[in-house]
Each structure stands twice: as structure tokens, then as C-alpha cells.
């Protein structure tokens, strides 16, 4: 699933203009091009290299991410895309669960696609897997904390979790909102939405 998502994203961004590459993504502070370079870094650095970077940056994880991303940015957008294509089937990753890499592949793809005017129908199985992961874990982002005490329900699939006031929407909108993308909150509804959004 990760390989398929990387390949689909590479196809989708192939015809972006220079202006689109420079557009702010949904990932705060990063352009569309920079998010793609971040994805390349995630598929390039094994645990040893990743941890060495953490040590080099004195456990400043944001600095480590920025340094790794800058290394994969390349000379221009075409070079950035070439580098991403080169790792499309890479199994290399930081010391995180494989499902977290699937999350990177889909969430960051949406960070790129949405402001670029691109759309993708993601496989339902992949989205449901991510919804279960993010609603039950604070490992990557405080997503489980956002979901606590609420009932999340997908309107386009079988995913439901939790109990309490309801937050309903497409599985994609739930995943993106769980990972802090406020742009998807208008696509959700329910008596738990105000609390969910406040988190």
C-alpha cells in the first residue's frame, strides 16, 4: 500500500508548475516541494542514520527533520521529484511502525494534493487502517488524545471507535483531522465536533 501511494503521488505531482511547487502545503511551514522532500527523507534514512541525526541535533527532532528534508530537496522541483521516485519502493524507515509510514504516505500526500487542487480516491482499507492507528496512538502526533472520550464514525466505511459525543465524516477527513489538519474540520459533523476541534 505504501509503494502504491508513493507511485500515485509521483504521477500526480509530475505536471505541477513552479508556482504550485512553492505553494504552502497543509503541513505548517512547509511548501509542497518541501513535503515531498520530507517523504523522500523518510524512505531514505535507516534507524542508525536517523538516530545519528537526532544526536547531532541534540534531540531537537524538528531540527533533525528539517536537516534531513533539506538534504533531499535537490536543485529544483524536477530534482526533488526524481529523488522521490528513486525511493518509491524503499523499505527503509526510521524506528517507527510500518503503519506510521503508510500514514506518512497518505497524510503528507494530502498535505500536497489539497492545496495543489489534486484529488485521489484512497483505498478504503488503507484509510481504515490509519483511522484505527491514529485514534489509538499518540506515537507520531497526539491523535489519540484528540479522540479520547469521543465516538468517531466514518460515513463512507465501517470505521467506528470510542464512546461519547459523536464526530462523523469521511474516513479521510477523520484521519486528516486526527493528525491536526484543521482544513478538514468543516467536512465533519456531530455533537462532539466542537470539543474535537478545540483539541
Amino acid at each position: 500500500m505504501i509503494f502504491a501511494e508513493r507511485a500515485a503521488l509521483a504521477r500526480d505531482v509530475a505536471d505541477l508548475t513552479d508556482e504550485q511547487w512553492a505553494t504552502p502545503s497543509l503541513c505548517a511551514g512547509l511548501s509542497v516541494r518541501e513535503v515531498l522532500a520530507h517523504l523522500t527523507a523518510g524512505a531514505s534514512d535507516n534507524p542508525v542514520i536517523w538516530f545519528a541525526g537526532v544526536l547531532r541535533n541534540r534531540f531537537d527532532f524538528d531540527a533533525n527533520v528539517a536537516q534531513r528534508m533539506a538534504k533531499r530537496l535537490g536543485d529544483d522541483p524536477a530534482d526533488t521529484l526524481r529523488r522521490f521516485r528513486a525511493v518509491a519502493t524503499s523499505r527503509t524507515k526510521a524506528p517507527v511502525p510500518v503503519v506510521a509510514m503508510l500514514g506518512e504516505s497518505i497524510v503528507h500526500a494530502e498535505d500536497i494534493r489539497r492545496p495543489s487542487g489534486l484529488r485521489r480516491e484512497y483505498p478504503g482499507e488503507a484509510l481504515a487502517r490509519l483511522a484505527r492507528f491514529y485514534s489509538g496512538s499518540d506515537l507520531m502526533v497526539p491523535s489519540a488524545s484528540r479522540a479520547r472520550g469521543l465516538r468517531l464514525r466514518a460515513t463512507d466505511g465501517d470505521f467506528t471507535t470510542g464512546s461519547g459525543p459523536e464526530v462523523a465524516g469521511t474516513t479521510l477527513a477523520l484521519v486528516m483531522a486526527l493528525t491536526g489538519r484543521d482544513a478538514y474540520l468543516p467536512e465533519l459533523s456531530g455533537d462532539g465536533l466542537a470539543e474535537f476541534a478545540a483539541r
Side-chain angles (χ1 to χ4, degrees):
M1 283 190 273
I2 294 168
F3 295 169
E5 292 308 322
R6 288 173 181 163
L9 181 59
R11 288 192 300 271
D12 282 355
V13 301
D15 295 324
L16 292 184
T17 64
D18 287 345
E19 183 179 3
Q20 287 174 305
W21 280 112
T23 298
S25 74
L26 297 185
C27 195
L30 299 182
S31 69
V32 162
R33 182 181 168 202
E34 287 169 329
V35 173
L36 194 71
H38 171 69
L39 284 170
T40 302
S44 302
D45 294 341
N46 63 34
V48 172
I49 294 172
W50 178 86
F51 191 65
V54 169
L55 290 176
R56 187 169 50 252
N57 287 286
R58 298 177 182 175
F59 290 88
D60 182 335
F61 291 96
D62 289 339
N64 186 43
V65 166
Q67 190 175 73
R68 293 168 61 227
M69 178 194 68
K71 184 178 176 183
R72 271 64 184 218
L73 199 57
D75 298 326
D76 54 33
D79 194 20
T80 307
L81 179 55
R82 180 189 61 76
R83 290 165 184 247
F84 178 67
R85 283 178 170 148
V87 298
T89 57
S90 170
R91 294 181 180 274
T92 301
K93 64 179 183 63
V96 297
V98 173
V99 68
M101 294 303 291
L102 178 62
E104 289 266 302
S105 300
I106 290 179
V107 172
H108 284 320
E110 274 297 289
D111 287 338
I112 289 170
R113 285 189 174 104
R114 182 106 169 192
S116 302
L118 302 169
R119 295 290 181 265
R120 172 166 169 75
E121 290 294 323
Y122 296 95
E125 179 186 352
L127 291 177
R129 187 174 295 188
L130 291 184
R132 289 191 297 270
F133 171 65
Y134 285 123
S135 62
S137 173
D138 281 336
L139 179 64
M140 306 302 293
V141 291
S143 48
S145 295
R146 290 189 179 108
R148 192 167 294 119
L150 300 171
R151 178 176 186 260
L152 305 186
R153 179 178 63 84
T155 56
D156 61 346
D158 296 331
F159 171 74
T160 59
T161 191
S163 60
E166 184 175 88
V167 179
T170 65
T171 316
L172 178 62
L174 288 169
V175 165
M176 296 303 290
L178 279 166
T179 57
R181 275 62 178 181
D182 290 350
Y184 291 79
L185 290 173
E187 299 176 21
L188 302 175
S189 63
D191 54 358
L193 180 57
E195 174 63 25
F196 184 71
R199 297 175 182 177

